[in-house]
């Protein structure tokens, strides 16, 4: 059928990580949290179910905004909620990038950014990371039609970070807004939330999918100055978050003790995973996220991914043209990581 816009017909479309629906896998491929969410989440969702779902949800998720504002030391009108942080990335792209414009992103990074540019009929311009996963000033260089830059920090697949000072420097140079995607920010030592006050061009997105163990609920939020949020609200769907996810997310963010405890467990397991992979000869990159990037200097890693899958351990094989390939392994529980390392030991 040729009624589609040409950019839709020509694009490949984003392919999410495998989500096997049957059978039992140790699932280490999409950076989910191995622990159950705070018990408060279930209670909050059940309370909504008891009241029924006949009414539309709160379009602005005010309860969540109020609680998150207290936690992050901003006013509620600095926060915009989304149906997962992917929804916020879509809203921001639609708000700033039009047909024929340019969206800048680092490479290799989150593949969805390119798809979002393609959907707008815009150019996705990739700036390569340096070998040490830093970015030169090229990332901030002016060029015609540059309307938005995305920076995942920590980055995926590397798990590496740019310091907040460096991010501010890049944002100050850039001639367009910068969205700092902190989907993995809770696992890092530093974050860029305080930069939002320093420069109205900086927006920070967060998700409850990873650190709060709620990937299935779909809830994320964005922090930016109120005049920015006001315009983004015009772009979002009226009811972009449903009543169950608003209630679950509000309960989750309220339980900061759960977050701290779970984060500490994941960070401890991450060290064990990094050590284990290096002992097996992988050139594993130090990570500030809940996954670890593992290229190998000599062995082909795709067959390892396939053999692990045959043993029902799912990791992510990534091959970035012009950069190289590797296994991205999510930080599961200690038992899951031991099982994965044990199998790999028999394969390399
Ligand atoms: C860098 C990055 N940003 C955003 C997301 C989207 O997360 P969600 O839509 O579940 O909030 C992901 C998910 O894998 C990610 O890796």
């Amino acid at each position: 059928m040729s009624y589609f816009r040409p950019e839709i017909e020509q694009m490949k479309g984003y392919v999410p990580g495998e989500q096997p629906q049957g059978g039992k896998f140790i699932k280490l491929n999409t950076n989910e949290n191995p622990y159950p969410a705070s018990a408060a989440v279930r209670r909050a969702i059940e309370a909504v179910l008891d009241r029924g779902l006949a009414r539309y949800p709160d379009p602005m998720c005010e309860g969540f905004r109020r609680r998150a504002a207290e936690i992050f030391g901003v006013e509620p009108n600095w926060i915009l909620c989304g149906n997962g942080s992917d929804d916020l990335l879509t809203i921001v792209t639609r708000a700033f990038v039009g047909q024929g414009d340019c969206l800048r992103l680092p490479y290799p990074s989150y593949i969805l950014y390119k798809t979002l540019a393609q959907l707008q009929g815009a150019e996705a311009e990739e700036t390569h990371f340096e070998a040490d996963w830093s970015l030169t000033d090229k990332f901030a260089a002016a060029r015609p039609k540059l309307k938005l830059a995305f920076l995942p920090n920590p980055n995926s697949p590397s798990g590496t970070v740019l310091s907040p000072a460096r991010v501010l420097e890049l944002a100050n140079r850039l001639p367009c807004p910068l969205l700092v995607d902190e989907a993995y920010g809770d696992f890092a030592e530093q974050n860029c939330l305080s930069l939002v006050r320093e420069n109205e061009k900086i927006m920070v997105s967060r998700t409850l999918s990873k650190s709060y163990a709620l990937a299935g609920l779909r809830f994320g939020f964005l922090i930016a100055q109120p005049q920015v949020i006001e315009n983004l609200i015009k772009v979002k769907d009226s009811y972009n978050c449903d009543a169950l996810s608003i209630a679950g997310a509000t309960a989750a963010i309220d339980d900061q003790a759960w977050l701290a405890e779970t984060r500490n467990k994941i960070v401890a397991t991450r060290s064990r995973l990094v050590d284990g992979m290096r002992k097996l000869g992988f050139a594993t990159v130090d990570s500030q996220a809940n996954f670890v990037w593992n290229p190998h200097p000599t062995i082909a890693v795709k067959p390892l991914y396939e053999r692990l899958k045959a043993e029902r351990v799912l990791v992510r094989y990534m091959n970035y043209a012009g950069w190289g390939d590797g296994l991205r392994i999510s930080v599961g529980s200690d038992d899951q990581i031991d099982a994965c390392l044990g199998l790999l030991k028999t394969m390399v």
Side-chain angles (χ1 to χ4, degrees), residues 211-271:
S211 51
Y212 290 89
L214 290 172
L217 194 71
R218 311 306 302 133
F219 201 92
F221 60 99
L222 177 123
I223 301 193
Q225 294 193 11
Q227 68 279 16
V228 178
I229 300 285
E230 259 172 50
N231 276 299
L232 295 176
I233 290 169
K234 299 177 196 165
V235 182
K236 80 177 189 76
D237 288 347
S238 309
Y239 306 107
N240 61 329
C241 300
D242 66 80
L244 299 177
S245 77
I246 298 170
T250 309
I253 198 135
D254 194 38
D255 196 348
Q256 290 291 304
W258 179 96
L259 176 68
E261 192 188 317
T262 309
R263 177 199 184 270
N264 289 345
K265 284 193 278 195
I266 289 172
V267 167
T269 310
R270 182 175 73 196
S271 300

Side-chain angles (χ1 to χ4, degrees), residues 30-31 83-87 89 110 113 152 154 156 181 183-184 206-210 215 218-220 328:
T30 47
N31 307 334
N83 181 23
S85 56
D86 282 350
D87 183 33
L89 303 180
Y110 188 32
Y113 303 147
S156 172
D181 177 348
Y184 303 102
R206 290 279 178 107
T207 179
L208 274 70
S209 297
K210 320 290 181 178
R218 311 306 302 133
F219 201 92
R328 196 192 67 187

Side-chain angles (χ1 to χ4, degrees), residues 64-103:
F64 180 91
R65 285 174 107 195
R66 274 196 300 275
R67 190 65 192 100
E70 281 165 14
I71 292 166
F72 296 111
V74 293
E75 292 301 312
N77 62 352
W78 289 59
I79 296 175
L80 179 68
C81 299
N83 181 23
S85 56
D86 282 350
D87 183 33
L88 297 160
L89 303 180
T90 302
I91 292 167
V92 168
T93 309
R94 288 174 64 202
F96 291 107
V97 184
Q99 183 143 25
D101 287 339
C102 173
L103 187 160

